[in-house]
Amino acid sequence: MTITDVNTAFHNEKTAQIASVRERERAFEGRIDRGEIRMVGADRYEVLTGWDRGETFTVARNAQGAIERIIANHGLDETADGTIALYASSPAWHGLGQIIPGGTSDIDEVLRLSGLDFDVVTVPAMYQWKGVVRDHTGQFHTVRTDTGAPLGAVGNKYTPIQNRQGFEFLQELVGRYDVVWESAGVLRGGKRVFISIRLPEAVRVDAEGINDLIVPYVAVMNDHSGKGQFQCVVTPWRPVCANTERFAVRDSVTSWAVRHTAGAVDEIKEARRTLGLSVQYFDEFAAEETALARTDIAVQQFHDVINELWPLDDDAKDRTLANHANRLGALDGMFRTEAERVGRTAYAAERAITDYLDHVAPRRPGKTMTEEVARATALLEGADDDIKSKAHRRLMLLRQR
C-alpha cells in the first residue's frame, strides 16, 4: 500500500501552480517586449502583429496582480458545452477555439469543431393579438435546429442553404490540391457563419525586387438572418500587414453571391468554374502589383489619389475638414512606413490605403458586435472592395511605361 504525505503533495501542487503563473507572466511580458502586443488601457491590450492585428483583449488579474485569464473581444459564439465556436489550423492570439496544428481535410471534423454542425429551418411567423395567437401569412422565421434560437425573418420563397450544403463544394478543392481547411466559425448566434481554405501556391510581387508575399485564400460566408446572401470570395492575403485585397483585376472573377432560394444549391455547384479561375487571377494580380512596385511616385501624387478617393466639397463643414485632415495625416504616416519597406512607389501607396481601410478607418459596430469584430467582419465581407479597386485603378494610371 502506498501512503501519500498530504503536506508534501500540497506543497508540490502549490509550487507547480506558482511556477505556472510565473511562466505565464514571463511569456506575456515577452510578447510586449517583442512588440507583439501593447497596452491601450487599464489591463486592455491590442495585438500588433499577425492576421489578427488590431484586435483587443482584457487581462483579468487576481488580488496579487497575477494574470488569471485573458478575456478576448473575439465576438465568436460558444457551443453548447461552453467551447468557442471556432476551428483553425493555427492558434489565434487569444488561444481560443479548437486548433488542429497544420489543419485537417475532414469537413465533418471542421463542422463539428467550429460549431457549424447545425441545420436551419423556417417556421411560421406568429404574433399575439388580444390573447389570440395568429399566423402572419407568408412570413417565416429562420431557426437553428440544435438550439431553437431565432435567426431572422424571411419570406415564403426563402430556402435555407445549410452549412454543409454551402461548404462541401470546397471539399473537391481540398482533395484535388491537397490543401486543408484553414478556419471556420460562427458569429452573431449563428446568423453569420464562415469557412476558408488556403490555396497551395503563394504569389510573389516583384520577385527580383521587394519580393513581397501574397497568400491566396478562398473564403465562404453564409447568412441565416434573411439579410444577406451566400457569398464566396477569392482573397489575396498579405501576412506582413494583414491586409485583404480583392481588386477587380481585368476580367478575373474574385467573388460571387447567391440568394437563399430553391435553386441555390445548383448555382453553388457552378462555383467550381469560378474557383478554377483563381490561379489565373493571382498571376494577373501579381503582374499588376509588380508594375506598381516599379513605379516611383511623389507625395503630391499620393495626395491627389487620396483626394479623388475621399473628395472634399468647397463648403465642407469644420467637422468634415477635421476628419479629412486626420485621415490624410494617418495615410501619410502609413505611406512613409511602407515606403521605408518597399520604396516610395505606387505599391507603397496602395499598401497604405488598404492598411488604412482594413485597420484604421472608423468602423461603427452593431449592437451585438465589438468594434474589432465589426472591422474583421467588414474585412472578410469586402465592405471596402469598391474603394480598394478604385485606388488600384487610379494608381495603375501612374505606372511607368
Side-chain angles (χ1 to χ4, degrees):
M1 174 191 252
T2 301
I3 300 175
T4 300
D5 185 330
V6 176
N7 291 329
T8 300
F10 179 78
H11 172 76
N12 292 339
E13 182 179 345
K14 295 304 292 183
T15 299
Q17 290 176 352
I18 292 171
S20 177
V21 169
R22 288 176 176 170
E23 178 59 32
R24 190 188 313 158
E25 292 282 354
R26 283 194 293 269
F28 192 77
E29 293 297 328
R31 295 194 66 191
I32 295 176
D33 292 341
R34 292 192 299 272
E36 296 174 6
I37 57 177
R38 69 182 177 97
M39 178 178 280
V40 293
D43 286 330
R44 190 164 177 262
Y45 295 82
E46 179 186 9
V47 181
L48 301 177
T49 61
W51 64 267
D52 44 3
R53 172 184 172 187
E55 295 188 25
T56 62
F57 62 91
T58 302
V59 174
R61 300 179 182 272
N62 60 22
Q64 290 72 43
I67 296 176
E68 281 193 332
R69 62 195 179 103
I70 291 177
I71 305 170
N73 297 326
H74 49 76
L76 294 161
D77 284 11
E78 291 187 3
T79 60
D81 61 3
T83 59
I84 299 301
L86 171 70
Y87 152 80
S89 64
S90 58
W93 59 268
H94 42 61
L96 300 174
Q98 323 314 311
I99 311 302
I100 298 182
T104 178
S105 59
D106 187 342
I107 188 173
D108 292 310
E109 192 169 21
V110 171
L111 294 175
R112 178 179 60 82
L113 293 176
S114 62
L116 286 168
D117 54 347
F118 66 87
D119 285 338
V120 176
V121 296
T122 57
V123 298
M126 315 292 286
Y127 66 98
Q128 191 174 59
W129 178 256
K130 294 182 178 182
V132 178
V133 175
R134 297 185 177 184
D135 182 359
H136 188 175
T137 305
Q139 297 298 309
F140 297 83
H141 289 150
T142 50
V143 175
R144 290 180 60 154
T145 57
D146 56 343
T147 64
L151 302 176
V154 298
N156 57 5
K157 293 184 178 180
Y158 184 96
T159 302
I161 300 173
Q162 305 299 342
N163 294 333
R164 167 173 280 282
Q165 286 179 313
F167 297 151
E168 66 184 358
F169 81 97
L170 288 177
Q171 185 70 44
E172 181 177 324
L173 290 181
V174 172
R176 183 194 306 171
Y177 295 110
D178 193 29
V179 298
V180 298
W181 298 100
E182 187 71 19
S183 63
V186 182
L187 296 167
R188 308 173 194 169
K191 294 179 180 179
R192 192 77 169 164
V193 298
F194 66 90
I195 200 165
S196 71
I197 62 174
R198 174 175 174 171
L199 298 178
E201 297 295 330
V203 178
R204 300 279 177 177
V205 171
D206 192 16
E208 294 77 25
I210 61 173
N211 195 31
D212 218 10
L213 177 69
I214 299 174
V215 178
Y217 285 85
V218 175
V220 176
M221 291 143 285
N222 197 6
D223 186 287
H224 296 304
S225 71
K227 297 180 180 179
Q229 298 176 304
F230 179 93
Q231 184 183 22
C232 176
V233 295
V234 177
T235 305
W237 180 269
R238 244 171 258 278
V240 172
C241 49
N243 290 343
T244 59
E245 300 165 29
R246 295 192 288 274
F247 302 139
V249 176
R250 297 186 186 175
D251 296 325
S252 296
V253 178
T254 58
S255 68
W256 59 269
V258 61
R259 301 183 68 83
H260 288 245
T261 61
V265 174
D266 290 334
E267 292 187 50
I268 289 173
K269 292 177 181 178
E270 292 298 315
R272 293 187 181 92
R273 181 189 61 81
T274 298
L275 296 176
L277 297 175
S278 59
V279 174
Q280 175 189 354
Y281 168 76
F282 283 108
D283 287 344
E284 294 178 357
F285 181 90
E288 292 196 5
E289 295 294 277
T290 297
L292 295 182
R294 296 174 180 175
T295 301
D296 296 330
I297 68 171
V299 173
Q300 185 56 53
Q301 289 175 297
F302 177 59
H303 286 184
D304 291 341
V305 174
I306 299 304
N307 290 331
E308 288 186 29
L309 296 177
W310 291 279
L312 192 62
D313 295 333
D314 294 336
D315 58 348
K317 304 296 183 182
D318 290 345
R319 183 175 180 179
T320 302
L321 292 171
N323 290 339
H324 182 82
N326 290 337
R327 182 191 301 114
L328 185 59
L331 285 163
D332 270 342
M334 293 177 176
F335 181 51
R336 286 195 298 270
T337 299
E338 287 296 332
E340 291 176 0
R341 187 174 70 88
V342 298
R344 198 171 68 182
T345 61
Y347 183 76
E350 189 175 70
R351 299 285 61 69
I353 294 168
T354 304
D355 197 21
Y356 173 81
L357 291 169
D358 285 350
H359 305 293
V360 178
R363 189 75 62 185
R364 184 174 298 175
K367 294 181 180 179
T368 61
M369 303 173 70
T370 64
E371 182 178 351
E372 290 80 11
V373 174
R375 190 177 300 283
T377 303
L379 185 148
L380 185 66
E381 295 175 349
D384 295 316
D385 283 359
D386 286 346
I387 194 169
K388 289 178 182 179
S389 284
K390 184 176 180 180
H392 179 78
R393 290 192 299 269
R394 177 63 176 80
L395 289 165
M396 286 293 290
L397 297 177
L398 302 176
R399 58 184 168 177
Q400 295 173 347
R401 293 177 172 79

